[in-house]
Amino acid sequence: MSPAVVLRSKFVTPGSSTFNDYINYMDREDAKQHVRMDTSSDKENDFNVFYNFMDYMDDEEKQGELFTSSKDRLDGKEKQTVKEQFQLAQQNESPMWQDVISFDNEWLAKQGLYDEATHTVDETKIRSIVRETMQAMLQAEGMQQSAVWTASLHYNTDNIHVHVATVEPHPTRERMNVLDKDSNTWHEEYRAKRKPKTLDKMKSKVANVILDRTHERNKVDELLRGTIRYKKENNISLSSFQKTETLFKEAMNHLPDDRKQWRYGYQSINEARPYIDEITKVYLEQFHPEEIQALKTKLDEEVDVMKEMYGEESDYQQYKDTKLDDLKKRMGNAILTEMRAVDKEEKMSVFKQKIVIGQFHALDKENQQSFFQRYNGKGNRDLHVSVIRLKQAMRKTFHDYKRERDMDEFDRMMEKN
């Protein structure tokens, strides 16, 4: 399966003949060349559109019509202005970035953008796509205010494609030392290489503007959020749920002491993460079997769309993997939130018990009996539990209590230090 959208990107240095060729042919009305582009080849010579800029110019057969970020068509004066901008960029040693966006004609026809009978495309839409794509590229590279670009739409190959050339009349990018392999000498140039993520954003922008999957992806996100929201809104306690109770305790036993570290993405919880993931699996199977099946169906649909757009060799599975990882992370953090609450409650209960025991030992025997009667029934649940445990604690000797109190005091001293 050939990809529906192909992006080819290169750059040339200001001293190259390619840069000069583009400037020289920019305002020639008779400059035309029919080329054939092999989009599947990585060989430089097969991508000769980068070495034949005559192909950019207007002609009656719609082999190329210059447009820019603000103009759909350039007259003679406007072409001269753009040419002067490119000349200034070359004088100021700006690189020239070159991109060719190629489309599968059959796929464009399916999207309603191409008429196979007349061999024409919705040029207004294509120009809009290029403008949004270039805006994304310039923003990613920090050149929104400094760069200018020209583009042209071409029908003269097996695949409709758009050529784009970009320069900075007043370069803003950092300078770096580059080795000239011919002379084996070093010299400074403006950094020309764009980030790989920038090129990925360009390709994604092209595809997503043409094929708006916002509605479908919103459904995916709603299914993801719904599983988390359901747990919270229904106060589902995984610490006491029969099928997750043991896993919950094991996970807590493997967590670090510092509750601030209890975040799913932190390395400090690596030992607890397998238990947390298993809790997530049980929870989803128990409470959301239909939703998870619907989610996987939707994700598989998106995988098919990505595969068609970007081809067999692309990472078309990434969207699905990313969303499933996101679900695991969201659920993991929801579980850890419950664990923090359980841990806090347990420590608070112990703290209250120590207060009660301290209050009890401060009383004489007669008032101790009254103390039991006051709390051993109605009232605060924590105090009631504490009194029950206090009765058990009374079996200890005074020396046992004193030893524990001294240890608590020692712990507090260590924490201060």
Side-chain angles (χ1 to χ4, degrees):
M1 177 187 295
S2 60
V5 178
V6 174
L7 173 67
R8 290 287 197 157
S9 299
K10 285 181 180 286
F11 65 83
V12 295
T13 56
S16 69
S17 60
T18 305
F19 205 131
N20 288 321
D21 287 344
Y22 179 67
I23 293 174
N24 292 335
Y25 284 100
M26 188 178 289
D27 57 355
R28 283 186 52 181
E29 293 295 332
D30 61 341
K32 296 182 288 185
Q33 178 154 339
H34 295 262
V35 299
R36 185 178 185 84
M37 180 172 63
D38 183 0
T39 59
S40 64
S41 176
D42 289 327
K43 294 180 180 178
E44 188 173 89
N45 291 336
D46 288 337
F47 199 47
N48 58 6
V49 289
F50 281 131
Y51 303 91
N52 295 279
F53 284 102
M54 294 83 79
D55 206 19
Y56 269 82
M57 306 323 303
D58 298 325
D59 82 56
E60 67 282 357
E61 297 180 11
K62 297 288 185 182
Q63 302 306 324
E65 187 172 292
L66 280 177
F67 66 92
T68 66
S69 60
S70 59
K71 292 283 186 177
D72 290 346
R73 179 177 295 182
L74 303 181
D75 60 26
K77 184 177 179 180
E78 290 166 336
K79 285 181 184 177
Q80 181 60 33
T81 299
V82 172
K83 181 176 181 178
E84 290 172 0
Q85 289 179 312
F86 272 69
Q87 287 174 328
L88 179 59
Q90 186 180 34
Q91 291 169 10
N92 289 332
E93 300 183 348
S94 168
M96 179 166 65
W97 293 274
Q98 306 166 322
D99 301 292
V100 174
I101 305 167
S102 177
F103 303 97
D104 179 77
N105 293 355
E106 186 177 336
W107 184 80
L108 279 181
K110 285 172 61 178
Q111 313 313 319
L113 298 179
Y114 175 68
D115 188 326
E116 295 181 272
T118 60
H119 193 49
T120 57
V121 72
D122 184 341
E123 295 188 9
T124 299
K125 181 67 174 179
I126 295 297
R127 284 193 292 267
S128 176
I129 292 165
V130 172
R131 285 169 178 148
E132 289 195 45
T133 301
M134 293 306 295
Q135 178 63 23
M137 185 276 284
L138 295 178
Q139 184 174 358
E141 292 293 320
M143 299 194 295
Q144 308 98 301
Q145 307 301 322
S146 58
V148 295
W149 57 267
T150 61
S152 60
L153 173 65
H154 295 263
Y155 293 78
N156 62 327
T157 64
D158 294 339
N159 299 96
I160 288 172
H161 59 281
V162 180
H163 298 238
V164 189
T166 306
V167 295
E168 283 188 298
H170 299 282
T172 62
R173 295 167 74 84
E174 66 178 340
R175 292 181 71 85
M176 56 187 295
N177 288 318
V178 178
L179 176 65
D180 186 327
K181 294 182 179 179
D182 294 332
S183 62
N184 198 33
T185 59
W186 291 86
H187 64 280
E188 276 196 347
E189 287 183 1
Y190 286 105
R191 183 170 62 84
K193 188 174 182 179
R194 289 173 289 185
K195 298 185 289 288
K197 285 186 177 180
T198 296
L199 303 181
D200 290 340
K201 285 181 180 178
M202 291 177 70
K203 188 185 294 187
S204 296
K205 178 63 72 172
V206 172
N208 292 335
V209 172
I210 295 176
L211 188 61
D212 187 358
R213 302 289 296 177
T214 303
H215 179 68
E216 289 76 9
R217 295 197 169 190
N218 283 343
K219 286 184 177 179
V220 168
D221 291 339
E222 179 56 31
L223 285 167
L224 284 173
R225 289 190 294 265
T227 58
I228 314 301
R229 191 169 57 244
Y230 180 88
K231 178 186 183 304
K232 183 177 180 180
E233 291 176 350
N234 291 273
N235 294 318
I236 295 176
S237 173
L238 295 173
S239 61
S240 57
F241 181 56
Q242 184 180 4
K243 293 186 178 181
T244 57
E245 183 178 4
T246 302
L247 289 168
F248 197 95
K249 291 177 181 177
E250 282 295 326
M252 290 194 68
N253 288 336
H254 288 82
L255 287 171
D257 293 333
D258 184 4
R259 282 205 301 260
K260 293 179 181 179
Q261 295 289 317
W262 295 13
R263 298 290 186 273
Y264 187 79
Y266 285 16
Q267 290 186 357
S268 53
I269 71 148
N270 282 352
E271 292 183 7
R273 191 176 291 109
Y275 299 102
I276 296 171
D277 289 344
E278 188 63 26
I279 294 171
T280 294
K281 180 181 177 182
V282 173
Y283 167 77
L284 295 175
E285 290 175 350
Q286 185 69 30
F287 295 98
H288 300 283
E290 294 179 2
E291 290 89 343
I292 292 303
Q293 184 57 50
L295 174 63
K296 290 180 178 180
T297 299
K298 290 289 183 185
L299 290 174
D300 286 339
E301 290 174 2
E302 291 303 303
V303 166
D304 291 340
V305 170
M306 295 297 104
K307 186 176 181 180
E308 182 179 23
M309 279 199 290
Y310 301 129
E312 294 274 3
E313 302 301 319
S314 67
D315 192 9
Y316 56 85
Q317 188 76 19
Q318 184 179 13
Y319 176 76
K320 179 179 180 180
D321 295 340
T322 299
K323 287 299 178 181
L324 291 177
D325 286 343
D326 185 42
L327 173 60
K328 188 183 292 186
K329 181 179 178 180
R330 286 170 180 263
M331 272 303 308
N333 280 323
I335 293 167
L336 284 165
T337 296
E338 182 179 344
M339 288 180 177
R340 285 194 297 273
V342 168
D343 184 66
K344 183 178 180 180
E345 183 179 350
E346 288 179 351
K347 288 181 178 178
M348 183 61 70
S349 178
V350 171
F351 176 71
K352 288 180 179 180
Q353 289 170 33
K354 288 184 177 181
I355 291 177
V356 172
I357 292 172
Q359 291 174 343
F360 176 82
H361 281 284
L363 300 175
D364 54 34
K365 291 184 178 181
E366 183 177 344
N367 287 328
Q368 285 178 357
Q369 185 62 34
S370 174
F371 182 89
F372 276 124
Q373 292 173 352
R374 194 189 326 164
Y375 292 114
N376 192 19
K378 299 179 181 179
N380 185 287
R381 177 181 175 274
D382 288 324
L383 286 175
H384 179 63
V385 172
S386 298
V387 170
I388 293 174
R389 292 182 180 178
L390 178 58
K391 290 180 178 179
Q392 298 171 346
M394 287 302 296
R395 299 191 185 101
K396 297 181 180 180
T397 67
F398 172 75
H399 295 291
D400 293 330
Y401 165 71
K402 188 174 184 301
R403 185 172 61 251
E404 288 185 359
R405 186 183 63 184
D406 292 342
M407 289 181 67
D408 289 342
E409 182 64 26
F410 177 77
D411 289 341
R412 284 193 293 270
M413 290 173 60
M414 292 299 292
E415 287 176 1
K416 289 180 181 180
N417 294 331

